[in-house]
Amino acid sequence: MILSRRALLKLGVLGGALALMPLAPSIATYTADRPAPSPRIPRFVLPLAVPPVLRPVRSTATTDYYEVTQREARVEILPGLPTTIWGYNGLSPGPTFRVRRGRKVVVKQTNLLPDGVVVHQHGGVTPPESDGYPLDLIPPGGSRTYVYPNEHRAATLWYHDHAMDQTGFHNYMGLAGFYIVEDEIDDRLPLPKGAYDVPLLLQDRRFAADGSLVFAPLGHIAVDGDVVLVNGVPWPRFEVANRKYRFRVLNGSNSTIFRLALGSGQPLTVIGTDGGLLPAPVQTPEIRLAMAERVEVVVDFSAYPIGSRVVLENRDGEGQLGQIMRFDVVRQEADDSEVPETLRPTERLSEAMAVRTREFVFGPRPTLDANPPVEFVINGQTFDPNRIDARPRLGDVEIWRFRCATALGLGGRMDHPVHIHLVSFQILDRDGAKPAPYEAGWKDTVLVPFDQEVRVIMRFQGYRGKYIMHCHNLEHEDMAMMTNFEVV
Ligand code: C2O
Ligand code: CU
Ligand code: CU
């Protein structure tokens, strides 16, 4: 059993004198100090990988049955060096689920890892017993069956580990994958399809000289890598035709926010957010994408002559973190796809529909009990599985207001991507102003910057029961920046 982050802090291991702590020999290194840089890797050399789509083991008229085994695997991420990862079916990213709205999916997850795990379908409308509550652990050697009714409109969801206190480490080791819901409305649109509909999972990582992963939570404030992986490949190149592509971009990093832009200056055409397609496409020069957020963009490479190279940049990244991947326009192809002027009708939730407003303040709180001496709290409290902090009624529309606390210079400038399970919400405003047009769609995660108040509105629908809301900076989440709500 690997010690929990909170246990390590109380022992004074993190941020203390012991700089390097090997975990379950040679899997990875846990370090409190700023670690050495990763081995140097050439950029834009390795081809982009696209995770395989998982096939059901059997299907009935209403239901598809899948089986997944979580296990350790040795893979080559850096050229010529072995890396041990934890993967769904030994893969990172895990295999992609592509499912139909309204068809039930049953997934049997078997855990061959040395640690207890939990699977959460992020963004899904899932009954509480299958939502992946952090304490519903699958023990090593055990298995659990999750049932997903898939009532969600077509959207790019994802699945990832959610084990209590260990979510950051488990995700860092590789436990994440795409879960794409499709429906007739999406089918009917002339958007790029098939091989031209490509999921991109962005993650930053750090590696030791021998290729093993280095997990450096830096006093549990943030894990920052110095290598950008796209679908598990460092700074890949992707050979494209001179036509349109649909990219489903997910920021699967533990703590790193990206600001996406094309190096050519071509604007990005945003067609969707966390919860599916926007009512209409939106052009934007750049997109801020916090942890767990998704954005769907269409890029038209017919704007470039064959032979062109277009870098997807991260305008928030310094040095080599400023680049993500490169598109090499290598061939001529016909293109019958289009971005229509209207995409998907969307119900706008209005303030007048809300029956109440709740307020949540995210912030560090000083404590003498940990090193560094801060606790991550919501409304002044750390997570307690037995405490319910909100009881919305099924069917009610509520407004939730989020802001960050500033505490005596202790991480007062920290941003928190807030994620609510079960529901999709709309952003009402940021400091009273309308959100960026590309944020106007259905969301399940919203970045709350340290100096901004954000209001979201949502209808509680789907299921009654206990769910969680938490910060999706996984280091904050593992430090108990999480709260229960119960739909009653
Ligand atoms: Cu993506 Cu509660 O998680
Ligand atoms: Cu979630
Ligand atoms: Cu946070």
Side-chain angles (χ1 to χ4, degrees), residues 5 70 85-88 91-94 113 117-120 122 158-163 166-177 201 203-205 213 215 223 229 250-255 292 470 472 474-475 477-478:
R5 308 288 290 294
Q70 301 183 36
I85 56 135
W86 291 359
Y88 295 107
L91 301 174
S92 181
L113 293 168
V117 296
V118 171
V119 185
H120 169 56
H122 179 123
W158 61 302
Y159 65 106
H160 64 78
D161 188 79
H162 217 304
Q166 299 289 355
T167 297
F169 181 66
H170 290 181
N171 276 264
Y172 196 80
M173 289 300 290
L175 293 173
L201 169 57
Q203 296 164 315
D204 62 333
R205 291 290 183 270
L213 284 163
F215 183 66
V223 169
L229 303 182
L250 157 62
N251 181 354
S253 302
N254 282 38
S255 322
H470 58 87
H472 223 289
L474 298 181
E475 310 322 308
E477 175 186 343
D478 282 343

